[in-house]
Amino acid sequence: MSQSAPDNVPAEVYRYSYHMGFGDCDPAGIAYTGALVNAALRAIDRFLGDVTAGRGWYAMSVSLGAGMPFAHLDVDFVSPVRGDADLDFTVEVTRLGQTSIGFRATGWQRSEACFSLNSVNVFISRGEGKQPLPDWLRAALAPYLA
């Protein structure tokens, strides 16, 4: 049974679910901090792939010769995440700048926000460095701007 984000989260917010397994937790069944960051980054990557017709972080790097390295990353923890349960995410775009994008991935269990990861990523082209956001990326992300 999935324990999802509350129903009052707007429909236009992207949702993703990740099962917290044995390797994600300590012997007491509490998720490791690194596992939570990894799961949140997976949620953002899945979001990118889904809203850009398959152009997530990996595809951007390999197929397009572009990337979005991190300029900033922070995590705020509210309550422990338990293992052997789904960790549901909501993903929002918090900023669409000239060359950068802000994301927020919030992890939920039992309809309770457990943590939020905020990132700022800069769009780059391999060999050319920082570039303005391409129109296709801006158009895909604009509907998710919080």
mmCIF file of all heavy atoms in Angstrom, residues 99-128:
data_model
loop_
_atom_site.group_PDB
_atom_site.id
_atom_site.type_symbol
_atom_site.label_atom_id
_atom_site.label_comp_id
_atom_site.label_asym_id
_atom_site.label_seq_id
_atom_site.Cartn_x
_atom_site.Cartn_y
_atom_site.Cartn_z
ATOM 1 N N THR A 99 20.067 30.879 -16.993
ATOM 2 C CA THR A 99 20.924 29.715 -17.227
ATOM 3 C C THR A 99 20.760 28.638 -16.156
ATOM 4 O O THR A 99 21.423 27.608 -16.225
ATOM 5 C CB THR A 99 22.412 30.135 -17.262
ATOM 6 O OG1 THR A 99 22.745 30.724 -16.000
ATOM 7 C CG2 THR A 99 22.697 31.104 -18.390
ATOM 8 N N SER A 100 19.900 28.867 -15.170
ATOM 9 C CA SER A 100 19.779 27.919 -14.065
ATOM 10 C C SER A 100 18.328 27.563 -13.767
ATOM 11 O O SER A 100 17.402 28.288 -14.136
ATOM 12 C CB SER A 100 20.441 28.482 -12.812
ATOM 13 O OG SER A 100 19.752 29.641 -12.376
ATOM 14 N N ILE A 101 18.194 26.413 -13.095
ATOM 15 C CA ILE A 101 16.884 25.881 -12.728
ATOM 16 C C ILE A 101 16.938 25.488 -11.263
ATOM 17 O O ILE A 101 17.919 24.879 -10.817
ATOM 18 C CB ILE A 101 16.551 24.622 -13.552
ATOM 19 C CG1 ILE A 101 16.628 24.919 -15.045
ATOM 20 C CG2 ILE A 101 15.188 24.071 -13.179
ATOM 21 C CD1 ILE A 101 16.654 23.675 -15.898
ATOM 22 N N GLY A 102 15.882 25.804 -10.521
ATOM 23 C CA GLY A 102 15.754 25.342 -9.148
ATOM 24 C C GLY A 102 14.716 24.241 -9.068
ATOM 25 O O GLY A 102 13.669 24.316 -9.718
ATOM 26 N N PHE A 103 15.024 23.208 -8.287
ATOM 27 C CA PHE A 103 14.104 22.091 -8.075
ATOM 28 C C PHE A 103 13.876 21.896 -6.581
ATOM 29 O O PHE A 103 14.778 22.154 -5.778
ATOM 30 C CB PHE A 103 14.671 20.770 -8.616
ATOM 31 C CG PHE A 103 14.862 20.730 -10.092
ATOM 32 C CD1 PHE A 103 16.120 20.880 -10.648
ATOM 33 C CD2 PHE A 103 13.782 20.520 -10.947
ATOM 34 C CE1 PHE A 103 16.313 20.818 -12.010
ATOM 35 C CE2 PHE A 103 13.963 20.470 -12.315
ATOM 36 C CZ PHE A 103 15.224 20.620 -12.850
ATOM 37 N N ARG A 104 12.697 21.407 -6.232
ATOM 38 C CA ARG A 104 12.421 20.952 -4.873
ATOM 39 C C ARG A 104 11.781 19.568 -4.968
ATOM 40 O O ARG A 104 10.766 19.390 -5.636
ATOM 41 C CB ARG A 104 11.473 21.864 -4.125
ATOM 42 C CG ARG A 104 11.161 21.347 -2.701
ATOM 43 C CD ARG A 104 10.155 22.195 -1.927
ATOM 44 N NE ARG A 104 10.570 23.578 -1.873
ATOM 45 C CZ ARG A 104 9.912 24.593 -2.475
ATOM 46 N NH1 ARG A 104 8.805 24.371 -3.148
ATOM 47 N NH2 ARG A 104 10.360 25.821 -2.376
ATOM 48 N N ALA A 105 12.400 18.599 -4.298
ATOM 49 C CA ALA A 105 11.829 17.254 -4.184
ATOM 50 C C ALA A 105 11.505 17.046 -2.708
ATOM 51 O O ALA A 105 12.395 17.112 -1.862
ATOM 52 C CB ALA A 105 12.812 16.203 -4.670
ATOM 53 N N THR A 106 10.241 16.823 -2.416
ATOM 54 C CA THR A 106 9.806 16.601 -1.038
ATOM 55 C C THR A 106 9.433 15.138 -0.884
ATOM 56 O O THR A 106 8.651 14.608 -1.666
ATOM 57 C CB THR A 106 8.605 17.497 -0.687
ATOM 58 O OG1 THR A 106 8.976 18.865 -0.903
ATOM 59 C CG2 THR A 106 8.177 17.317 0.760
ATOM 60 N N GLY A 107 10.019 14.484 0.126
ATOM 61 C CA GLY A 107 9.741 13.079 0.401
ATOM 62 C C GLY A 107 8.657 12.946 1.458
ATOM 63 O O GLY A 107 8.703 13.625 2.481
ATOM 64 N N TRP A 108 7.691 12.070 1.204
ATOM 65 C CA TRP A 108 6.520 11.885 2.070
ATOM 66 C C TRP A 108 6.376 10.430 2.472
ATOM 67 O O TRP A 108 6.549 9.534 1.644
ATOM 68 C CB TRP A 108 5.240 12.257 1.321
ATOM 69 C CG TRP A 108 5.184 13.626 0.751
ATOM 70 C CD1 TRP A 108 5.762 14.068 -0.418
ATOM 71 C CD2 TRP A 108 4.496 14.737 1.292
ATOM 72 N NE1 TRP A 108 5.473 15.381 -0.617
ATOM 73 C CE2 TRP A 108 4.690 15.829 0.409
ATOM 74 C CE3 TRP A 108 3.719 14.930 2.432
ATOM 75 C CZ2 TRP A 108 4.141 17.081 0.646
ATOM 76 C CZ3 TRP A 108 3.174 16.172 2.667
ATOM 77 C CH2 TRP A 108 3.389 17.238 1.780
ATOM 78 N N GLN A 109 6.006 10.206 3.718
ATOM 79 C CA GLN A 109 5.524 8.908 4.193
ATOM 80 C C GLN A 109 4.360 9.173 5.141
ATOM 81 O O GLN A 109 4.379 10.151 5.891
ATOM 82 C CB GLN A 109 6.608 8.110 4.940
ATOM 83 C CG GLN A 109 7.548 7.380 4.028
ATOM 84 C CD GLN A 109 8.494 6.464 4.778
ATOM 85 O OE1 GLN A 109 8.862 6.708 5.923
ATOM 86 N NE2 GLN A 109 8.922 5.403 4.120
ATOM 87 N N ARG A 110 3.354 8.320 5.081
ATOM 88 C CA ARG A 110 2.164 8.457 5.934
ATOM 89 C C ARG A 110 1.535 9.844 5.805
ATOM 90 O O ARG A 110 1.127 10.435 6.796
ATOM 91 C CB ARG A 110 2.507 8.151 7.394
ATOM 92 C CG ARG A 110 3.048 6.752 7.615
ATOM 93 C CD ARG A 110 3.629 6.549 8.995
ATOM 94 N NE ARG A 110 4.670 7.508 9.362
ATOM 95 C CZ ARG A 110 5.931 7.457 8.964
ATOM 96 N NH1 ARG A 110 6.328 6.502 8.162
ATOM 97 N NH2 ARG A 110 6.805 8.360 9.356
ATOM 98 N N SER A 111 1.505 10.377 4.595
ATOM 99 C CA SER A 111 0.956 11.713 4.306
ATOM 100 C C SER A 111 1.649 12.818 5.095
ATOM 101 O O SER A 111 1.100 13.886 5.324
ATOM 102 C CB SER A 111 -0.555 11.751 4.571
ATOM 103 O OG SER A 111 -1.217 10.870 3.709
ATOM 104 N N GLU A 112 2.891 12.562 5.496
ATOM 105 C CA GLU A 112 3.672 13.535 6.251
ATOM 106 C C GLU A 112 4.949 13.853 5.477
ATOM 107 O O GLU A 112 5.657 12.940 5.034
ATOM 108 C CB GLU A 112 4.026 12.946 7.624
ATOM 109 C CG GLU A 112 4.895 13.825 8.461
ATOM 110 C CD GLU A 112 5.280 13.165 9.792
ATOM 111 O OE1 GLU A 112 4.931 11.992 10.035
ATOM 112 O OE2 GLU A 112 5.955 13.846 10.576
ATOM 113 N N ALA A 113 5.234 15.129 5.312
ATOM 114 C CA ALA A 113 6.486 15.529 4.667
ATOM 115 C C ALA A 113 7.637 15.184 5.603
ATOM 116 O O ALA A 113 7.657 15.621 6.757
ATOM 117 C CB ALA A 113 6.481 17.013 4.350
ATOM 118 N N CYS A 114 8.579 14.369 5.128
ATOM 119 C CA CYS A 114 9.714 13.932 5.944
ATOM 120 C C CYS A 114 10.964 14.769 5.692
ATOM 121 O O CYS A 114 11.754 15.004 6.594
ATOM 122 C CB CYS A 114 10.023 12.470 5.663
ATOM 123 S SG CYS A 114 8.676 11.349 6.068
ATOM 124 N N PHE A 115 11.156 15.199 4.452
ATOM 125 C CA PHE A 115 12.317 16.033 4.115
ATOM 126 C C PHE A 115 12.095 16.684 2.764
ATOM 127 O O PHE A 115 11.266 16.234 1.972
ATOM 128 C CB PHE A 115 13.617 15.215 4.114
ATOM 129 C CG PHE A 115 13.773 14.289 2.946
ATOM 130 C CD1 PHE A 115 14.557 14.657 1.855
ATOM 131 C CD2 PHE A 115 13.161 13.050 2.918
ATOM 132 C CE1 PHE A 115 14.708 13.804 0.770
ATOM 133 C CE2 PHE A 115 13.320 12.187 1.852
ATOM 134 C CZ PHE A 115 14.089 12.566 0.766
ATOM 135 N N SER A 116 12.846 17.755 2.518
ATOM 136 C CA SER A 116 12.849 18.421 1.211
ATOM 137 C C SER A 116 14.282 18.642 0.774
ATOM 138 O O SER A 116 15.118 19.068 1.573
ATOM 139 C CB SER A 116 12.138 19.778 1.273
ATOM 140 O OG SER A 116 10.764 19.610 1.403
ATOM 141 N N LEU A 117 14.538 18.334 -0.479
ATOM 142 C CA LEU A 117 15.828 18.601 -1.095
ATOM 143 C C LEU A 117 15.618 19.729 -2.093
ATOM 144 O O LEU A 117 14.708 19.673 -2.919
ATOM 145 C CB LEU A 117 16.346 17.354 -1.807
ATOM 146 C CG LEU A 117 17.673 17.508 -2.550
ATOM 147 C CD1 LEU A 117 18.522 16.252 -2.369
ATOM 148 C CD2 LEU A 117 17.458 17.784 -4.024
ATOM 149 N N ASN A 118 16.442 20.761 -1.984
ATOM 150 C CA ASN A 118 16.402 21.893 -2.906
ATOM 151 C C ASN A 118 17.719 21.935 -3.664
ATOM 152 O O ASN A 118 18.782 21.782 -3.065
ATOM 153 C CB ASN A 118 16.218 23.208 -2.143
ATOM 154 C CG ASN A 118 14.889 23.253 -1.448
ATOM 155 O OD1 ASN A 118 13.855 23.383 -2.086
ATOM 156 N ND2 ASN A 118 14.894 23.106 -0.128
ATOM 157 N N SER A 119 17.622 22.139 -4.966
ATOM 158 C CA SER A 119 18.841 22.240 -5.762
ATOM 159 C C SER A 119 18.732 23.400 -6.733
ATOM 160 O O SER A 119 17.636 23.810 -7.112
ATOM 161 C CB SER A 119 19.108 20.943 -6.536
ATOM 162 O OG SER A 119 18.213 20.796 -7.617
ATOM 163 N N VAL A 120 19.894 23.893 -7.104
ATOM 164 C CA VAL A 120 20.007 24.835 -8.214
ATOM 165 C C VAL A 120 20.994 24.203 -9.178
ATOM 166 O O VAL A 120 22.100 23.825 -8.791
ATOM 167 C CB VAL A 120 20.504 26.230 -7.764
ATOM 168 C CG1 VAL A 120 20.698 27.138 -8.975
ATOM 169 C CG2 VAL A 120 19.540 26.851 -6.764
ATOM 170 N N ASN A 121 20.557 24.031 -10.413
ATOM 171 C CA ASN A 121 21.367 23.412 -11.449
ATOM 172 C C ASN A 121 21.585 24.406 -12.571
ATOM 173 O O ASN A 121 20.678 25.141 -12.930
ATOM 174 C CB ASN A 121 20.663 22.165 -11.998
ATOM 175 C CG ASN A 121 20.427 21.140 -10.928
ATOM 176 O OD1 ASN A 121 19.532 21.293 -10.115
ATOM 177 N ND2 ASN A 121 21.225 20.118 -10.903
ATOM 178 N N VAL A 122 22.802 24.404 -13.110
ATOM 179 C CA VAL A 122 23.170 25.306 -14.196
ATOM 180 C C VAL A 122 23.223 24.505 -15.484
ATOM 181 O O VAL A 122 23.815 23.425 -15.535
ATOM 182 C CB VAL A 122 24.529 25.968 -13.920
ATOM 183 C CG1 VAL A 122 24.953 26.852 -15.078
ATOM 184 C CG2 VAL A 122 24.470 26.766 -12.626
ATOM 185 N N PHE A 123 22.608 25.017 -16.527
ATOM 186 C CA PHE A 123 22.616 24.342 -17.823
ATOM 187 C C PHE A 123 23.937 24.636 -18.524
ATOM 188 O O PHE A 123 24.330 25.789 -18.657
ATOM 189 C CB PHE A 123 21.445 24.790 -18.693
ATOM 190 C CG PHE A 123 21.307 23.978 -19.943
ATOM 191 C CD1 PHE A 123 20.666 22.753 -19.917
ATOM 192 C CD2 PHE A 123 21.841 24.413 -21.140
ATOM 193 C CE1 PHE A 123 20.556 21.968 -21.056
ATOM 194 C CE2 PHE A 123 21.744 23.647 -22.288
ATOM 195 C CZ PHE A 123 21.087 22.411 -22.238
ATOM 196 N N ILE A 124 24.610 23.563 -18.960
ATOM 197 C CA ILE A 124 25.880 23.722 -19.677
ATOM 198 C C ILE A 124 25.855 22.919 -20.969
ATOM 199 O O ILE A 124 25.118 21.954 -21.107
ATOM 200 C CB ILE A 124 27.092 23.275 -18.831
ATOM 201 C CG1 ILE A 124 27.028 21.775 -18.544
ATOM 202 C CG2 ILE A 124 27.221 24.091 -17.564
ATOM 203 C CD1 ILE A 124 28.337 21.190 -18.060
ATOM 204 N N SER A 125 26.688 23.332 -21.883
ATOM 205 C CA SER A 125 26.954 22.577 -23.101
ATOM 206 C C SER A 125 28.398 22.120 -23.009
ATOM 207 O O SER A 125 29.288 22.923 -22.678
ATOM 208 C CB SER A 125 26.755 23.470 -24.326
ATOM 209 O OG SER A 125 27.097 22.780 -25.490
ATOM 210 N N ARG A 126 28.637 20.838 -23.272
ATOM 211 C CA ARG A 126 29.986 20.297 -23.176
ATOM 212 C C ARG A 126 30.920 21.087 -24.079
ATOM 213 O O ARG A 126 30.652 21.291 -25.258
ATOM 214 C CB ARG A 126 29.975 18.821 -23.578
ATOM 215 C CG ARG A 126 31.209 18.093 -23.107
ATOM 216 C CD ARG A 126 31.167 16.607 -23.371
ATOM 217 N NE ARG A 126 29.946 15.994 -22.842
ATOM 218 C CZ ARG A 126 29.259 15.073 -23.499
ATOM 219 N NH1 ARG A 126 29.621 14.671 -24.687
ATOM 220 N NH2 ARG A 126 28.185 14.544 -22.958
ATOM 221 N N GLY A 127 31.992 21.555 -23.521
ATOM 222 C CA GLY A 127 32.990 22.297 -24.285
ATOM 223 C C GLY A 127 32.704 23.787 -24.386
ATOM 224 O O GLY A 127 33.579 24.555 -24.724
ATOM 225 N N GLU A 128 31.465 24.197 -24.110
ATOM 226 C CA GLU A 128 31.119 25.616 -24.220
ATOM 227 C C GLU A 128 30.748 26.240 -22.878
ATOM 228 O O GLU A 128 30.586 27.447 -22.793
ATOM 229 C CB GLU A 128 29.968 25.789 -25.214
ATOM 230 C CG GLU A 128 30.346 25.363 -26.624
ATOM 231 C CD GLU A 128 29.187 25.543 -27.580
ATOM 232 O OE1 GLU A 128 28.413 26.502 -27.425
ATOM 233 O OE2 GLU A 128 29.057 24.709 -28.492
#
